[in-house]
Amino acid sequence: MERLLYLDHAASTPMRPAAVEAMTPFLTDCFANPSGSHRFARTARRAVDEAREQVADVLGVLPGEVVFTGCGTESDNQAVTGSVAGRPGVAVTSAAEHHAVLDPVVASGGVVVGVDATGHIDLDGLTEALRAAGEVAVVSVMAVNNEVGTVTDLEAVAAVVRREAPGAWLHTDAVQAACWLDLRTVTPLVDMVSLSAHKFGGPKGVGVLVVRGSASPAPIIRGGGQERERRSGTSNVAGIVATAAALGETDAERATEVERVGALRSRLVETVVAEVDARETVPAAASVPGVAHLCFEGVENEALLFLLDTEGVCASAASACASGAMEPSHVLAAMGVSRELAGGALRLSFGHTSTVDEIDAASAAVVSSVRRLRGES
Ligand code: PLP
């Protein structure tokens, strides 16, 4: 069988066997609509209720604060669009956000604040933006950046937001955080949190939006009134059950995985940097263990990804997008990385199935591909 070296966990990580096992009965035997009143429906409803409790436990919130959605993008959209729709004021965010946040903020006429060279939101810029904006409906700052892995100091962000815009709801896109940060430390700082199941070993097409305290973003999908009128649509019972199983396992393994995967990240970066000229975009201390972002001057990332693909290495350049087209990264541009350097950007991301052998084989493939593209071999 062809060798596959999967270093694209930030795009999607393989489903955890426990999640597959948990969801299977709800795809086969217990397929009922949980909104019904018969016993079959009640079994499905109980499964959703239990999953909600498990998710709430990992997040350190109440079950009633957990809203299941159709994906991380939808959760982000609801947090932003649902906030500006239901109350006066603008949306404010950082320039390094995923498009799932950035686009609804821009579409609503909101404010985008710059970031520093490591991708952290400029706190002085945020202060100024909140003062200038007058009324602010929502501030959204991601917990972990999906391209470069930067971890936001949410405590510092929350302090600025609570001081300058006490009436604003604070949202964090924690889609890339679940594997690496204890979410119980994140939720008390904010009013809304978004997650996506396929980033932590659950299925694609399931998201979570935590809505706490006084926050109550308007629904963006209306209809049957599921999820306590906050997100209509027949519940994806199997997906929700699998999400809870995956999140529970992720939470239980997190401390050891942070150590293990952090060592893999260091091993890869050290090997590559020792062998070829490369720039680590964000140092390990500022990043999650699951992402290594490198820029290779004089290398075209499309050509690099092509060569890596022929070696069986799955990686990415910027965040994956539907068209597959290589657009210049708005994150790297916001961080002040030159267009030339950004053109040679490579994101290698790791997760629960990553092994030392895989990392070593991938490092060797990166080194030989970069050398080849530079005409050094
Ligand atoms: N936010 C971040 C930070 C992401 O990395 C992603 C996916 O890459 C999303 C949102 C969107 O999540 P989903 O794929 O579930 O729509």
Side-chain angles (χ1 to χ4, degrees), residues 10-11 71-73 76 98 100 142 144 146 173 175-176 196 198-199:
C71 58
T73 300
D76 284 341
H98 190 279
M142 68 202 320
V144 172
N146 51 296
D173 173 343
V175 165
Q176 293 290 341
S196 172
H198 74 105
K199 308 292 186 178

Side-chain angles (χ1 to χ4, degrees), residues 2-290:
E2 204 190 343
R3 177 178 77 157
L4 186 72
L5 304 166
Y6 190 74
L7 279 79
D8 204 14
H9 290 259
S12 198
T13 200
M15 274 191 75
R16 289 175 175 270
V20 176
E21 202 182 312
M23 84 190 292
T24 305
F26 295 95
L27 294 169
T28 52
D29 304 336
C30 188
F31 54 81
N33 186 327
S35 299
S37 54
H38 48 76
R39 69 183 61 188
F40 207 20
R42 287 199 301 276
T43 306
R45 189 153 64 242
R46 220 169 15 251
V48 172
D49 289 345
E50 281 170 16
R52 196 185 307 281
E53 282 167 21
Q54 287 166 17
V55 168
D57 181 49
V58 173
L59 294 167
V61 300
L62 299 170
E65 295 173 330
V66 172
V67 180
F68 289 114
T69 68
C71 58
T73 300
E74 187 192 315
S75 299
D76 284 341
N77 270 249
Q78 182 163 0
V80 174
T81 308
S83 295
V84 291
R87 62 201 314 240
V90 296
V92 177
T93 195
S94 94
E97 299 293 311
H98 190 279
H99 281 292
V101 166
L102 208 46
D103 290 9
V105 170
V106 171
S108 72
V111 180
V112 179
V113 177
V115 296
D116 66 16
T118 45
H120 292 106
I121 187 167
D122 171 4
L123 293 177
D124 292 335
L126 178 61
T127 304
E128 276 170 35
L130 295 178
R131 285 181 189 168
E135 207 151 11
V136 180
V138 62
V139 179
S140 182
V141 181
M142 68 202 320
V144 172
N145 184 273
N146 51 296
E147 276 186 44
V148 292
T150 303
V151 181
T152 295
D153 180 352
L154 277 176
E155 233 173 284
V157 169
V160 171
V161 173
R162 303 307 184 203
R163 187 184 69 227
E164 301 296 335
W169 295 332
L170 178 56
H171 167 252
T172 190
D173 173 343
V175 165
Q176 293 290 341
C179 295
W180 318 114
L181 305 184
D182 183 349
L183 298 169
R184 294 175 194 85
T185 65
V186 170
T187 49
L189 300 170
V190 297
D191 304 297
M192 294 179 281
V193 182
S194 298
L195 298 179
S196 172
H198 74 105
K199 308 292 186 178
F200 53 79
K204 289 164 192 66
V206 187
V208 173
L209 178 64
V210 174
V211 179
R212 297 178 65 242
S214 66
S216 58
I220 55 171
I221 299 185
R222 296 173 190 272
Q226 287 89 347
E227 297 294 307
R228 295 194 190 178
E229 306 281 343
R230 293 173 297 190
R231 197 278 184 186
S232 288
T234 301
S235 304
N236 174 0
V237 182
I240 288 169
V241 167
T243 297
L247 191 61
E249 205 171 271
T250 299
D251 185 50
E253 291 177 0
R254 190 182 295 111
T256 46
E257 280 298 273
V258 163
E259 286 286 310
R260 189 185 74 83
V261 175
L264 295 180
R265 181 195 189 281
S266 304
R267 188 178 174 102
L268 180 138
V269 172
E270 279 162 24
T271 307
V272 173
V273 168
E275 295 288 331
V276 290
D277 180 34
R279 190 183 119 176
E280 191 182 9
T281 314
V282 173
S287 163
V288 287

Side-chain angles (χ1 to χ4, degrees), residues 3 5 7 268 272 308 313 348 356-367:
R3 177 178 77 157
L5 304 166
L7 279 79
L268 180 138
V272 173
L308 289 174
V313 178
L348 300 156
V356 173
D357 287 351
E358 193 180 30
I359 294 306
D360 287 350
S363 310
V366 171
V367 168

Side-chain angles (χ1 to χ4, degrees), residues 298-377:
V299 169
E300 272 293 326
N301 53 22
E302 250 176 290
L304 179 56
L305 286 177
F306 177 79
L307 278 188
L308 289 174
D309 192 44
T310 61
E311 300 273 330
V313 178
C314 305
S316 80
S319 57
C321 66
S323 65
M326 292 295 167
E327 308 245 322
S329 157
H330 70 281
V331 175
L332 297 181
M335 289 166 62
V337 176
S338 70
R339 221 183 144 84
E340 202 184 22
L341 203 52
L346 181 69
R347 179 186 72 181
L348 300 156
S349 55
F350 324 107
H352 63 109
T353 58
S354 301
T355 62
V356 173
D357 287 351
E358 193 180 30
I359 294 306
D360 287 350
S363 310
V366 171
V367 168
S368 64
S369 301
V370 170
R371 283 195 180 135
R372 210 171 129 191
L373 290 169
R374 283 181 175 155
E376 292 170 2
S377 64

